[in-house]
């Protein structure tokens, strides 16, 4: 080959190699550029849908010979190298021990400050390379509507200006999900996102998808024979999903509520005589669509026991058995009742305390006989340990003042410890309504200093006590009505009650402002004041409209747990308007404004087992009013009321309610609005004022000087679940009213008057609906109605207050 040809061949080969190198170099440059672009983009504000991967720390020590001369730290930004060295288990001058170096690696990760740690050896230098966890700039919650931000922030542990870790994020996600599960939303999802910022900072965003509520579709019971499923569904607090429960959350699944349902079932069966009852299991199965739960309670009823013998064994020096015998409620032949036994233990303890024996211990001893299905009960009263209260601590009250809680606790420092008083203190705290249901606990722990002393700790969890209410309704007495009110039951944490209310109806308008101090002058005195302005239309009944405004001062106190008395003083200005020539002369002569200065008292003895819906017990009230301490009105009035309740058969509630009153004018005629009226709510089957004496010429109602009423009612079970909220009843009302003597003395008015005893009988239905309580009374039977009476067979009332 010629020299020229060889030269050309060499140049071509060199060009090919150069071209290949150029391509390789271009590819390398492109790869480096892309990597740099990625690095540059990393610090920008970009959201990552997942938290950074878990730390992958290593300790690369292959040569363990020699000693550590230098410990160097690289990568630290906020944390001083000297601080990092304090977490190490090796020091300069120590050998390269792999075990101690590995422990140092774990110690650094345990601080939660680092995303990654690498420990290597470079000759005689131990090099610690760290990647610090970022600092949280802010926490953001998105998508949460059912739970407020402040409620979620109370539960999560991440905060601004703290170190971010993947573990804390995962824990906070679980806490948020747990809160939603307690709200009955098991379909909720939480996706944490991290937005990286410059200077190794991040924003953490919890994106929440709340999902639909997870309702309880069915509640089933297995193993129950005596009570059917509908009966037991009425016992548990959880309810099956129904359209009318739009204002309730009890139809959503809550594991804590299900545990409480187990206890409710146990109490119910034990009160009915099933001493061996147990809930074998309680299972809640989530449907595949994650929208419904199916709850199943498996129970074991066991036999039903009667009491074969009830005894009292007193072994306390100088304490006679007869002193405690009256406190023993159960009797031989009764069905076993666990609640009754607890009440008897409290009653015996109180009776011993009243007799001067504070240190007694009462324990019921049970002897079962499965063959005869009977239980022998002996209440053993023994000398208890002499224990005194060292101090009373309170926990959980962030708003309610300590003194408000302490005054409900029946024990103070230095008192003898009394279990019954501890129970009563718990009940009184629960009755305040300031604390969440089933959160009040009173524990006692032995003193660390004195062996004969104990420390009481009241643990509570507060709830909202403010109310903003709107109401709509209808009543046969006042027509359609609208109501708005605002109330605070624990004003400034002092236990004071402040209420303001405005209501307007077709026949009535009222504005009311009320304040109550439950412990006036730091004593057990209930004091309060009311301001009221009211306008009531009585045109259809008596031909006038009543306008009244004034104020009331109240003061009450309790003699014991069952008897209390209240005194009131009221000053009211009342005027009649809308009077025409067709109105009774007696009413027309009362035009103008009258001032009533009235002092009243009411004494009540109440032994009902429940104030709202009693099923047993009774109450008696005595009241007196005296007007004439100033003002223009002069009269004295006395009244009495009584009621008793009983449950002769399960579900059948019988009540008998009676009342009577008498009013006498002191040297002057009584005003129409001070007299008694019979009809409406005092005697069903008659209109308001329907059975009252009337002016013979105008047929206006004039009222009476005295009144007596009686009402008998029997509530009937329908056989439908209690949760439906429907109640039926049959009733029988009676009433009699006396004529106003002063009108006869005038001789100017002819009065239709009869002291005849009127009566009515009928049936009624009451439904606790989503729009409030709706009641309908139908009185087809009316007895001894007079020719001038005005009857009304139907009486309707419904109303709702949305808080």
């Amino acid at each position: 080959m010629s020299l020229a040809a060889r030269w050309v061949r060499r140049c071509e080969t060199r060009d090919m190699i150069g071209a290949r190198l150029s391509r390789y170099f271009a590819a390398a440059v492109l790869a480096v550029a892309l990597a740099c672009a990625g690095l540059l983009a990393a610090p920008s504000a970009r959201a990552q849908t997942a938290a950074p991967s878990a730390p992958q720390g290593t300790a690369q020590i292959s040569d363990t010979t020699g000693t550590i001369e230098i410990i160097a730290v690289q990568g630290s930004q906020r944390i001083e190298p000297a601080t990092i060295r304090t977490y190490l288990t090796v020091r300069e001058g120590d050998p390269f021990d792999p075990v101690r170096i590995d422990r140092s690696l774990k110690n650094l990760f345990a601080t939660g400050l680092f995303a990654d740690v690498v420990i290597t050896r470079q000759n005689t230098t131990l090099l610690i390379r760290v990647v610090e966890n970022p600092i949280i700039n802010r926490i953001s919650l998105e998508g949460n509507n059912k739970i407020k931000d402040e409620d979620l922030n109370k539960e999560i542990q991440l905060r601004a200006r703290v170190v971010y870790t993947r573990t804390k994020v995962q824990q906070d996600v679980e806490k948020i999900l747990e809160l939603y599960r307690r709200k009955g939303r098991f379909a909720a999802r939480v996706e944490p996102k991290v937005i990286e910022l410059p200077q190794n900072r991040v924003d953490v965003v919890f994106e929440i998808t709340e999902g639909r509520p997870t309702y309880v579709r069915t509640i089933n019971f297995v193993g129950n024979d005596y009570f059917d499923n509908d009966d037991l569904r009425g016992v548990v607090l959880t309810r099956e999903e129904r359209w009318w429960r739009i204002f309730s959350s009890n139809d959503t699944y809550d594991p804590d509520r299900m545990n409480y349902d187990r206890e409710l079932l146990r109490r119910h069966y034990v009160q009915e005589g099933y001493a061996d009852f147990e809930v074998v299991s309680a299972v809640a199965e989530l449907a595949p669509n994650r929208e419904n739960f199916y709850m199943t309670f498996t129970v074991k009823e066991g036999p039903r026991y009667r009491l074969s013998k009830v005894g009292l064994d007193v072994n306390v020096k100088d304490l006679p058995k007869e002193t405690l015998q009256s406190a023993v409620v159960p009797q031989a032949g009764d069905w076993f009742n666990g609640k009754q036994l607890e009440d008897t233990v409290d009653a015996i303890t109180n009776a011993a305390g009243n007799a001067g024996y504070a240190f007694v211990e009462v324990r019921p001893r049970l002897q079962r006989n499965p063959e005869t299905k009977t239980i022998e009960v002996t209440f053993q009263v023994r000398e208890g340990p002499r224990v005194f209260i060292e101090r009373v601590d309170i926990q959980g009250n962030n708003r309610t003042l300590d003194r408000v809680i302490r005054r409900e606790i029946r024990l103070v420092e230095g008192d003898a410890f009394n279990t019954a008083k501890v129970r009563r203190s718990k009940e009184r705290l629960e009755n305040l309504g300031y604390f969440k249901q089933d959160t009040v606990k009173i524990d006692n722990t032995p003193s660390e200093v004195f062996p004969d002393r104990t420390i009481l700790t009241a643990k509570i969890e507060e709830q909202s006590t403010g109310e903003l209410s709107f109401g709509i309704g209808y009543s046969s007495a006042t027509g359609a009505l609208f109501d708005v009110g605002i109330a605070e039951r624990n004003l400034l944490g002092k236990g004071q009650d402040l209420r303001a209310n405005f209501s307007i109806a077709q026949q009535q308008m009222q504005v009311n402002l009320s304040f109550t101090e439950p412990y006036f002058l730091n004593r057990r005195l209930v004091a309060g004041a009311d301001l009221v302005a009211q306008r009531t239309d009585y045109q259809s009944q008596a031909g006038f409209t009543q306008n009244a405004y004034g104020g009331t001062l109240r003061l009450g106190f309790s003699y014991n747990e069952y008897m209390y008395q209240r005194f009131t003083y009221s000053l009211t200005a009342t005027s009649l308007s809308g009077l025409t020539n067709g109105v009774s002369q007696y009413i027309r002569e009362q035009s103008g404004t009258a001032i009533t200065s009235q002092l009243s008292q009411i004494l009540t003895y109440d032994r009902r087992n429940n104030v709202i819906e009693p099923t047993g017990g009774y109450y008696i009230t005595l009241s007196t009013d005296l007007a004439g301490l100033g003002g223009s009105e002069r009269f004295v009035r006395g009244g009495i009321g009584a009621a008793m309740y009983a449950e002769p058969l399960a579900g059948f509630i019988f009540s008998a309610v009676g009342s009577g009153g008498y009013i006498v004018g002191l040297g002057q005629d009584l005003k129409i609005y001070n007299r008694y009226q019979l009809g409406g709510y005092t005697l069903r089957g008659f209109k308001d004022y329907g059975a009252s004496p009337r002016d013979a010429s105008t047929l206006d109602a004039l009222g009476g000087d005295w009144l007596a009423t009686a009402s008998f009612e029997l509530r009937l079970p329908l056989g439908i679940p209690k949760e439906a909220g429907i109640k039926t009843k049959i009733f029988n009302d009676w009433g009699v009213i006396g004529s106003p003597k002063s009108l006869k003395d005038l001789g100017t008015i002819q009065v239709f008057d009869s002291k005849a005893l009127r009566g009515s009988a009928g049936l009624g239905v009451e439904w606790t609906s989503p729009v409030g309580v709706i009641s309908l009374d139908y009185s087809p039977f009316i007895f001894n109605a007079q020719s001038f009476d005005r009857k009304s067979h139907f009486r309707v009332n419904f109303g709702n207050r949305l808080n």
Side-chain angles (χ1 to χ4, degrees):
M1 183 179 292
S2 64
L3 179 61
R6 288 197 297 269
W7 175 255
V8 171
R9 180 71 175 271
R10 184 182 301 169
C11 291
E12 291 175 347
T13 303
R14 185 179 60 188
D15 292 341
M16 292 174 62
I17 294 172
R20 290 178 181 176
L21 291 174
S22 298
R23 288 196 296 270
Y24 293 149
F25 179 78
V29 171
L30 178 61
V32 172
L34 292 174
C36 292
L39 292 173
L40 291 174
S44 63
R46 297 181 181 272
Q48 301 179 0
T49 57
S53 58
Q56 300 293 329
T58 56
Q60 303 170 357
I61 306 297
S62 58
D63 185 4
T64 60
T65 62
T67 59
I68 301 172
E69 295 183 3
I70 300 174
I71 298 178
V73 178
Q74 294 181 355
S76 60
Q77 299 178 21
R78 302 183 311 274
I79 306 170
E80 294 292 333
T83 302
I84 296 176
R85 292 190 185 97
T86 60
Y87 295 106
L88 305 179
T89 60
V90 293
R91 298 288 183 268
E92 294 173 350
D94 292 345
F96 285 94
D97 185 349
V99 176
R100 295 171 64 185
I101 293 174
D102 183 67
R103 190 180 302 119
S104 300
L105 178 72
K106 293 178 180 179
N107 289 346
L108 290 172
F109 273 121
T111 64
L113 299 173
F114 307 105
D116 194 13
V117 179
V118 177
I119 301 179
T120 59
R121 174 178 180 177
Q122 293 183 357
N123 298 325
T124 58
T125 299
L126 185 68
L127 181 61
I128 315 294
R129 293 190 179 94
V130 298
V131 178
E132 294 180 353
N133 275 323
I135 292 294
I136 296 176
N137 179 59
R138 67 185 180 94
I139 304 292
S140 179
L141 299 163
E142 297 180 357
N144 55 307
N145 296 316
K146 301 300 180 181
I147 303 180
K148 298 179 181 178
D149 284 2
E150 51 265 31
D151 295 332
L152 291 174
N153 285 325
K154 290 178 183 177
E155 297 296 328
I156 62 178
Q157 57 182 325
L158 289 178
R159 295 286 184 272
R161 296 182 297 277
V162 302
V163 177
Y164 165 89
T165 66
R166 178 186 179 90
T167 302
K168 290 181 179 179
V169 171
Q170 293 171 340
Q171 292 173 348
D172 285 346
V173 167
E174 289 300 319
K175 287 185 178 181
I176 294 173
L177 288 175
E178 179 63 23
L179 285 178
Y180 275 96
R181 293 188 187 109
R182 293 181 182 277
K183 291 285 186 179
R185 293 179 178 267
F186 280 74
R189 291 182 291 107
V190 179
E191 184 178 1
K193 290 189 176 182
V194 178
I195 301 176
E196 298 182 355
L197 303 173
Q199 300 178 353
N200 199 24
R201 296 177 300 123
V202 294
D203 286 346
V204 180
V205 180
F206 293 100
E207 291 188 352
I208 301 171
T209 303
E210 295 183 322
R212 297 179 59 188
T214 311
Y215 293 105
V216 176
R217 178 65 61 183
T218 60
I219 302 176
N220 298 313
F221 298 89
V222 178
N224 53 306
D225 295 324
Y226 186 79
F227 296 102
D228 59 27
N229 287 356
D230 288 339
D231 292 334
L232 297 183
R233 289 190 187 106
V235 172
V236 296
L237 186 60
T238 305
R239 294 289 183 259
E240 294 180 339
E241 178 194 9
R242 294 294 183 269
W243 67 267
W244 61 77
R245 296 201 177 95
I246 57 177
F247 298 115
S248 173
S249 61
N250 287 342
D251 56 353
T252 57
Y253 173 69
D254 185 340
D256 291 338
R257 190 191 301 130
M258 186 175 69
N259 291 332
Y260 183 58
D261 289 338
R262 295 174 64 121
E263 177 62 18
L264 290 177
L265 288 171
R266 188 196 67 81
R267 293 180 188 176
H268 175 70
Y269 268 95
V270 171
Q271 289 181 22
E272 295 294 332
Y274 294 87
D276 298 334
F277 172 82
E278 62 176 317
V279 179
V280 178
S281 66
V283 179
E285 296 178 309
L286 183 61
N289 61 5
R290 300 183 66 84
E291 293 184 359
N292 296 294
F293 268 96
Y294 299 88
M295 294 177 58
T296 302
F297 293 91
T298 303
V299 302
K300 183 179 179 181
E301 292 182 334
R304 191 181 189 192
Y305 291 90
R306 284 189 182 273
L307 297 179
S308 60
K309 183 180 178 181
V310 179
L312 181 63
D313 181 14
V314 181
N315 189 12
V316 178
K317 185 179 180 181
D318 298 330
L319 178 58
K321 180 178 179 180
E322 294 74 17
T323 304
L324 309 179
Q325 189 64 53
S326 60
V328 180
V329 178
Q331 301 294 326
D334 294 346
W335 289 112
F336 175 82
N337 188 325
K339 178 64 167 57
Q340 196 177 57
L341 262 61
E342 293 179 2
D343 293 342
T344 301
V345 170
D346 292 344
I348 294 174
T349 304
N350 289 333
N354 294 335
Y357 296 84
F359 303 100
V360 297
E361 192 174 60
V362 183
R363 292 185 180 180
R365 186 185 64 191
L366 308 181
Q367 290 185 346
R368 290 178 174 83
N369 189 335
E371 296 180 357
T372 60
K373 298 179 181 179
T374 58
I375 294 179
E376 180 179 335
V377 180
T378 302
F379 293 96
Q380 296 180 329
V381 183
R382 299 288 184 269
E383 191 84 32
R386 301 180 65 85
V387 178
F388 298 89
I389 305 299
E390 179 178 333
R391 69 175 187 270
V392 179
D393 295 336
I394 300 173
Q395 297 178 2
N397 58 318
N398 299 317
R399 181 168 178 267
T400 307
L401 300 181
D402 272 14
R403 59 183 174 86
V404 174
I405 300 174
R406 289 181 184 277
R407 66 196 184 192
E408 301 299 331
I409 298 177
R410 288 304 191 228
L411 294 167
V412 298
E413 287 80 357
D415 284 353
F417 179 79
N418 188 307
T419 304
K421 289 185 177 181
V422 171
R423 288 200 193 100
R424 181 56 182 164
S425 301
K426 180 176 180 294
E427 292 174 357
R428 292 181 64 90
L429 288 174
E430 291 173 336
N431 291 339
L432 289 176
Y434 305 160
F435 314 116
K436 293 181 179 179
Q437 184 180 11
D438 302 318
T439 63
V440 177
K441 296 181 180 178
I442 300 181
D443 301 327
N444 65 291
T445 55
S447 172
E448 297 179 355
V449 180
F450 304 99
D452 62 341
R453 298 185 185 180
T454 187
I455 301 172
L456 286 186
T457 304
K459 301 178 181 178
I460 52 96
E461 185 176 347
E462 293 178 316
Q463 66 178 1
S464 174
T465 54
E467 298 176 0
L468 177 62
S469 62
F470 300 91
I472 57 174
Y474 176 82
S475 168
S476 298
T478 60
L481 63 91
F482 171 76
D483 177 278
V484 60
I486 186 171
E488 172 54 62
R489 294 179 287 111
N490 187 15
L491 185 65
L492 302 177
K494 297 180 179 180
Q496 299 166 338
D497 190 298
L498 179 64
R499 298 174 182 269
N501 181 265
F502 170 76
S503 63
I504 183 171
Q506 289 177 294
Q507 293 179 264
Q508 188 179 78
M509 182 177 69
Q510 178 173 302
V511 179
N512 186 286
L513 178 65
S514 174
F515 174 79
T516 302
E517 167 57 68
Y519 273 74
F520 184 58
L521 300 177
N522 291 325
R523 299 179 182 274
R524 298 189 184 279
L525 299 173
V526 181
D530 305 284
L531 294 175
V532 63
Q534 180 175 308
R535 181 178 183 273
T536 307
D537 185 352
Y538 291 114
Q539 291 291 340
S540 61
Q541 296 94 347
F544 69 91
T545 299
Q546 177 182 334
N547 305 283
Y549 56 91
T552 301
L553 298 176
R554 296 177 274 110
L555 182 66
F557 60 92
S558 298
Y559 293 101
N560 51 45
E561 296 291 339
Y562 309 108
M563 179 179 290
Y564 55 91
Q565 190 167 23
R566 185 180 67 182
F567 294 91
T568 62
Y569 172 76
S570 60
L571 184 64
T572 309
T574 308
S575 62
L576 305 184
S577 61
L579 303 176
T580 64
N581 292 332
V583 177
S584 170
Q585 176 186 346
Y586 169 70
I587 300 176
R588 198 164 55 244
E589 291 175 351
Q590 297 180 14
S591 62
T593 301
I595 305 298
T596 304
S597 175
Q598 180 175 308
L599 181 64
S600 307
Q601 75 81 32
I602 181 169
L603 178 66
T604 303
Y605 184 70
D606 193 343
R607 293 302 301 264
R608 289 175 291 178
N609 58 359
N610 188 292
V611 177
I612 300 175
E613 291 189 1
T615 59
Y618 62 92
Y619 73 82
I620 302 173
T621 63
L622 298 173
S623 63
T624 52
D625 304 316
L626 174 63
L629 305 176
S632 58
E633 298 301 290
R634 304 283 189 274
F635 63 84
V636 61
R637 176 168 47 205
I640 184 173
M644 62 84 61
Y645 303 86
E647 189 174 8
L649 297 173
F652 291 82
I653 311 300
F654 173 76
S655 64
V657 182
S659 65
Y662 196 95
I663 184 170
V664 176
L666 300 178
Q668 65 181 44
D669 292 337
L670 295 167
K671 294 292 192 294
I672 176 67
Y673 46 81
N674 288 326
R675 297 187 184 276
Y676 295 106
Q677 70 95 4
L678 183 61
Y681 69 92
T682 58
L683 182 62
R684 284 169 285 193
F686 296 80
K687 292 185 177 181
D688 290 329
Y689 281 91
S692 297
R694 295 184 178 278
D695 187 316
S697 60
T698 64
L699 296 181
D700 291 328
L702 304 180
D705 293 325
W706 56 270
L707 174 77
T709 64
S711 178
F712 305 93
E713 192 170 283
L714 179 64
R715 290 190 178 270
L716 308 171
L718 289 178
I720 62 176
K722 294 181 181 178
E723 56 192 272
I726 299 177
K727 302 174 184 177
T728 58
K729 59 189 175 183
I730 57 176
F731 61 83
N732 179 209
D733 291 351
W734 296 93
V736 60
I737 189 169
S739 63
K741 297 180 181 180
S742 57
L743 297 181
K744 291 185 176 181
D745 295 338
L746 292 175
T748 58
I749 300 175
Q750 184 181 359
V751 179
F752 285 150
D753 174 38
S754 173
K755 299 181 180 61
L757 179 66
R758 283 96 156 175
S760 66
L763 54 90
V765 61
E766 183 180 291
W767 178 33
T768 306
S769 73
V771 296
V773 178
I774 299 176
S775 62
L776 171 64
D777 293 327
Y778 173 53
S779 308
F781 307 105
I782 297 178
F783 312 113
N784 204 25
Q786 304 301 298
S787 59
F788 54 87
D789 289 342
R790 295 182 179 180
K791 295 176 287 187
S792 176
H793 293 285
F794 287 94
R795 186 171 182 85
V796 181
N797 185 76
F798 83 83
N800 184 46
R801 185 166 279 191
L802 306 177
N803 294 318

